[in-house]
């Protein structure tokens, strides 16, 4: 019995240690500076194997003694059996604890949180200096400067005119939407807010794409009450970064009729009979509540909202279409609010109008994520789950930081070049788990960690390599923390809600822990992108002068 228990314990410990969800082993590439740690772990493994052999010999010896002493009196056996059972239970427990301690120690050294992700001091980011771990060369500064001037700056030269045109048209479109607004059966839209790379001045690719938030509020007597994951302990782990929006009446009660809440003795409810229940049967109320929620929930339904928004935009466009010499149509079906202007010349101009809900009095907004699951960190399946967007805070942080940086700072140039390379590699090999938001998150961490003088224009090549090294380490450790969630080094002047500042850090690379194939493909994609970087840059550049002292580019001021 004791031997069986001991073996079962060893099997359990071995299964725990080798379980891929707890201790993934798919990191085939290990940084060179951890060779000493690997050597020590191998020594520990050898010691454990020797200890296992010693224990097996001890077990064999005890079994032999038991066979010799078998013909003992029954009373002595009954007295010794509890002692033996206790001894083996103790050995099993100690072995299990010993194995777990060793494995936890190993994980702390191999996969521990690196301080750069949370915005460490300058000394902490000094470990990123030097070439990428695989020694893949990136172009020198003269090449990057010339490439930036020839390709990226020229591609974004029309950004101001594009923004002005789109904003003017959207103003007219929303005004038409408000003119057909019904106070009793429609949402009320507010002024749009520009977000994303076009408004942060780092979009590198054509076509130039404006992304506009359109906040909306429900008509009276309804109100929205946001609930996001860090304020609701009951939300599951996969809902991190998301929230739900409860729809209530003005008195704070959930949607429903007063006959559900009050004893009606001599009165009859004109909206309900005994067979209908709590949902209003009047055409007006049913239409509005069907617009907000599904019939089984009191939470705002994103699919219902998108249906309303698309119908409202269509009606508004039909009202003003005679004033314009172009057509308006919906764009990508998997992107909510994607629209496209088609000119008679055949050219088109895409832009995105996203309906959002403001989170209390902050600059946080709930928005619908892309309809299909994204490669990295797919959205929850429920249509009542809304993605919490920090886009306004990101724009404000970049604006505040730009005021402290040297003139012509290279931070946006780094992000533009990295985004350009990511786009070209995606076109070449298909999508991966990396996207522009990961690039921007890495840059924000570096901006918080580096001195302002480190972002001089002459440091473009150094900072770009540092950005890629940061991403490389994040991929190897499967940890890239959200810049705002749980980042206590951020100044209170940023204005984040206290619940978000004090929440547990949100790992944007968490899906890599669970999806081995996605992780492996993303790592291969990343190194392939670095390998192809010189080719992409030379392909889109003309002859580069050999003078390395050529004037550096100036990033567009915020």
């Amino acid at each position: 019995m004791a031997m069986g228990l001991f073996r079962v314990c060893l099997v359990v410990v071995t299964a725990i240690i080798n379980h891929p969800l707890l201790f993934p082993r798919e990191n085939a590439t290990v940084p060179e500076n951890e060779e000493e740690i690997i050597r020590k772990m191998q020594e520990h493994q050898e010691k454990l194997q020797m200890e296992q052999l010693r224990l097996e010999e001890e077990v064999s010896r005890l079994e032999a003694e038991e066979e010799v002493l078998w013909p003992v009196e029954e009373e002595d056996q009954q007295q010794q059996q509890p002692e033996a059972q206790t001894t083996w239970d103790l050995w099993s427990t100690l072995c299990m604890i010993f194995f777990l301690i060793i494995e936890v120690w190993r994980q702390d050294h191999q996969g521990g949180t690196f301080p750069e992700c949370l915005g460490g001091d300058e000394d902490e980011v000094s470990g990123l200096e030097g070439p990428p771990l695989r020694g893949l060369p990136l172009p020198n500064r003269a090449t990057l400067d010339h490439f930036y001037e020839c390709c990226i700056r020229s591609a974004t030269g029309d950004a101001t005119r594009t923004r002005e045109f789109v904003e003017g048209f959207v103003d007219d479109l929303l005004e038409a939407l408000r003119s057909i607004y019904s106070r009793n059966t429609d949402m009320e839209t507010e002024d749009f807010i520009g977000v994303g790379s076009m408004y942060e001045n780092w979009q590198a690719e054509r076509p130039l794409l404006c992304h506009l938030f359109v906040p909306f509020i429900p008509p009276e007597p309804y109100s929205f009450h946001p609930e996001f994951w860090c304020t609701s302990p009951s939300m599951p782990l996969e809902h991190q970064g998301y929230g739900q929006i409860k729809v209530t009446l003005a008195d704070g009660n959930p949607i429903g009729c007063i006959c559900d809440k009050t004893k009606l003795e001599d009165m009859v409810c004109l909206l309900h009979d005994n067979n209908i229940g709590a949902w209003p049967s009047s055409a007006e109320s049913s239409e509005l509540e069907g617009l907000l929620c599904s019939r089984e929930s009191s939470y705002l339904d994103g699919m219902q909202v998108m249906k309303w928004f698309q119908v409202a935009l269509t009606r508004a466009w039909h009202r003003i279409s005679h004033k314009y010499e172009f057509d308006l149509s919906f764009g990508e079906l998997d992107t909510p609010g994607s629209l496209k202007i088609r000119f008679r010349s055949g050219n088109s101009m895409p832009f995105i109008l996203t309906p959002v809900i403001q989170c209390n009095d902050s600059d946080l907004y709930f928005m619908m994520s892309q309809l299909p699951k994204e490669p990295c960190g797919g959205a929850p399946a429920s249509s009542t789950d809304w993605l919490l967007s920090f886009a306004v805070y990101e724009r404000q942080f970049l604006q505040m930081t730009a005021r402290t940086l040297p003139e012509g700072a290279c931070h946006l140039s780094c992000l533009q070049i990295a985004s350009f390379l990511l786009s070209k590699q995606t076109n070449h090999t298909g999508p991966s788990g990396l996207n522009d938001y990961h690039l921007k998150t890495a840059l924000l961490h570096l901006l918080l960690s580096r001195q302002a003088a480190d972002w001089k224009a002459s440091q473009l090549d150094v900072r770009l390599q540092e950005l890629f090294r940061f991403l490389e380490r994040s991929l190897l450790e499967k940890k890239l923390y959200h810049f705002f969630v749980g980042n206590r080094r951020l100044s209170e002047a940023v204005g984040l809600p206290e619940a978000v500042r004090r929440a547990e850090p949100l790992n944007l690379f968490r899906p890599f822990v669970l999806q081995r194939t996605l992780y492996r493909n993303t790592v291969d994609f990343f190194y392939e992108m670095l390998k192809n970087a010189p080719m992409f840059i030379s392909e889109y550049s003309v002859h580069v002068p050999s003078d390395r002292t050529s004037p550096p580019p100036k990033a567009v001021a915020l």
Side-chain angles (χ1 to χ4, degrees):
M1 177 66 180
M3 277 299 299
L5 180 60
F6 177 72
R7 290 170 179 167
V8 168
C9 290
L10 283 180
V11 170
V12 170
V13 170
T14 305
I16 292 175
I17 291 175
N18 290 278
H19 197 285
L21 296 182
L22 295 179
F23 308 113
R25 300 174 182 268
E26 59 268 28
N27 278 349
T29 305
V30 182
E32 295 175 0
N33 57 3
E34 294 189 5
E35 290 182 355
E36 182 66 19
I37 297 176
I38 296 175
R39 185 183 60 79
K40 291 181 179 180
M41 287 192 297
Q42 289 175 346
E43 292 177 359
H44 277 284
Q45 185 177 1
E46 292 175 0
K47 291 179 182 179
L48 289 175
Q49 290 175 349
M50 294 296 295
E51 183 67 17
Q52 183 179 356
L53 290 174
R54 191 187 67 78
L55 288 173
E56 290 176 355
E57 292 177 359
E58 182 73 13
V59 169
S60 301
R61 185 180 61 80
L62 290 174
E63 287 180 345
E65 289 180 358
E66 286 180 0
E67 291 177 0
V68 172
L69 299 176
W70 179 259
V72 228
E73 294 183 359
E74 187 176 350
E75 184 177 349
D76 292 339
Q77 288 181 351
Q78 292 176 352
Q79 292 176 354
Q80 291 175 3
Q81 188 172 2
E83 276 183 38
Q85 182 69 30
T86 304
T87 302
W88 284 112
D89 287 347
L90 180 61
W91 270 108
S92 301
T93 305
L94 289 176
C95 288
M96 182 180 295
I97 293 174
F98 181 67
F99 274 108
L100 288 176
I101 289 175
I102 293 297
E103 185 61 25
V104 169
W105 176 86
R106 182 177 72 84
Q107 289 295 320
D108 287 340
H109 282 273
Q110 279 193 333
T113 302
F114 63 102
E116 295 90 338
C117 283
L118 296 177
D121 299 330
E122 186 179 359
D123 293 339
E124 294 171 338
V125 298
S126 61
L128 295 174
E129 296 176 356
L133 295 179
R134 286 193 177 180
L136 297 175
L138 289 175
N140 57 37
R141 183 167 66 87
T143 304
L144 292 175
D145 291 349
H146 190 80
F147 163 73
Y148 183 86
E149 288 291 342
C150 291
C151 300
I152 295 182
R153 186 185 291 277
S154 62
T156 57
D158 297 332
T160 301
R161 290 191 295 272
T162 301
R163 286 197 298 261
E164 290 176 353
F165 177 83
V166 171
E167 288 174 1
F169 173 68
V170 170
D171 262 334
D172 200 9
L173 188 65
L174 292 181
E175 190 61 34
L177 191 152
R178 295 185 189 104
S179 68
I180 58 176
Y181 160 76
S182 171
R183 183 175 181 83
N184 296 323
T185 60
D186 240 334
M187 309 277 195
E188 182 178 351
T189 58
E190 300 179 341
D191 293 335
F192 64 81
I193 303 169
V195 297
S197 58
M198 271 286 284
Y199 288 86
E200 295 164 353
N201 293 310
W202 60 268
Q203 180 161 346
E205 284 286 290
R206 285 188 181 274
L208 298 174
L209 180 66
C210 289
H211 190 178
L212 305 174
F213 280 176
V214 182
F216 67 93
I217 57 177
E220 296 178 355
Y222 300 97
S223 60
F224 292 153
H225 294 272
E227 302 173 358
F228 43 96
W229 87 101
C230 55
T231 60
S232 179
S234 61
M235 284 195 180
L237 191 61
E238 62 270 15
H239 284 60
Q240 286 188 344
Y242 290 81
Q244 294 183 315
I245 303 165
K246 197 172 189 64
V247 183
T248 65
L249 295 171
D251 57 3
N253 291 320
I255 292 177
C257 180
I258 194 174
C259 71
D260 245 8
K261 310 174 182 64
T262 308
K263 290 287 186 181
L264 302 176
E265 297 179 355
D266 298 328
M267 299 176 62
V268 178
C269 178
L270 299 179
L271 297 180
H272 295 91
D273 57 33
N274 293 333
N275 299 322
I276 294 180
W279 284 86
S281 60
S282 69
E284 196 172 83
S285 297
S286 296
E287 179 183 353
L288 179 57
E289 291 179 358
L291 181 71
L292 298 172
C293 310
S294 63
R295 296 184 64 86
E296 294 80 16
S297 172
S298 61
Y299 287 97
L300 189 67
D301 190 295
M303 296 302 296
Q304 297 295 105
V305 170
M306 279 310 304
K307 289 178 183 177
W308 159 77
F309 193 61
Q310 290 176 348
V311 170
L313 288 180
T314 301
R315 294 169 59 195
W317 167 243
H318 287 162
R319 192 176 183 87
I320 63 172
S321 60
H322 65 277
K323 298 164 51 177
Y324 295 95
E325 295 183 354
F326 56 74
D327 295 325
L328 181 68
S329 61
F330 290 103
E332 300 178 10
L333 296 178
D334 60 346
T335 303
S338 176
L339 296 165
K340 183 176 289 187
I341 294 173
R342 294 185 180 275
F343 299 99
R344 292 180 179 178
S345 63
N347 296 329
S348 62
M349 179 180 293
F351 64 98
I352 299 176
L353 283 186
T354 303
V356 297
I357 298 97
Q358 186 176 13
C359 183
N360 301 325
D361 295 326
S362 69
D363 285 321
L364 290 176
Y365 289 89
F366 283 103
M367 59 176 285
M368 283 193 66
S369 60
Q370 289 190 342
L371 298 183
K373 292 188 175 181
E374 299 175 357
C376 189
S382 174
S383 60
T384 60
D385 293 317
W386 293 71
L387 178 65
L388 192 60
S389 172
F390 293 79
V392 176
Y393 283 111
E394 290 158 8
R395 179 183 176 183
Q396 293 172 351
F397 180 81
L398 286 172
Q399 289 174 336
M400 289 190 300
T401 304
R403 300 188 191 107
T404 67
L405 298 180
E407 183 180 357
C410 65
H411 62 301
L412 296 183
S413 305
C414 284
L415 188 53
Q416 285 176 307
I417 294 174
S419 175
F420 175 89
L421 295 176
L422 177 65
S423 172
K424 295 306 176 188
Q425 185 63 38
T426 301
N427 294 337
H428 184 62
T429 60
S432 69
L434 277 181
N435 55 47
D436 280 339
Y437 192 73
H438 298 140
L439 299 179
K440 182 165 73 169
T441 300
L443 178 75
L444 293 177
H445 282 301
L446 293 177
L447 281 172
L448 190 62
S449 303
R450 281 289 181 190
Q451 298 286 340
D454 294 336
W455 297 98
K456 293 180 181 178
S458 59
Q459 297 291 309
L460 174 61
D461 57 332
V462 179
R463 297 285 80 84
L464 181 62
Q465 289 198 27
E466 185 177 61
L467 178 64
F468 284 130
R469 283 192 294 272
F470 187 96
L471 280 172
E472 183 178 43
R473 292 190 61 179
S474 300
L475 279 172
L476 293 175
E477 301 193 9
K478 302 178 184 176
K479 291 178 182 177
L480 177 63
Y481 288 104
H482 195 284
F483 181 69
F484 291 101
V485 178
N487 192 348
R488 292 168 178 81
R489 293 192 68 241
L490 282 173
S491 169
E492 293 185 1
V494 176
L496 279 173
E498 193 65 16
V500 175
R501 284 186 71 245
R502 299 195 173 277
E504 288 298 317
L506 177 60
N507 183 12
L508 300 180
F509 281 172
R510 179 179 174 270
F512 290 149
V513 179
L514 305 175
Q515 303 178 43
R516 292 189 175 191
T517 302
L518 173 64
Y519 173 71
R520 186 70 264 161
N521 292 340
T522 302
V523 171
D524 293 341
F525 175 96
F526 175 76
Y527 284 118
E528 185 72 15
M529 179 182 71
L530 293 184
K531 179 182 176 182
N532 293 334
M535 179 192 69
F536 289 142
I537 289 177
S538 63
E539 182 180 350
Y540 288 89
S541 301
V542 292
H543 177 68
V544 179
S546 58
D547 183 11
R548 291 181 60 86
T549 62
S550 58
K554 292 184 180 180
V556 182
L558 288 174

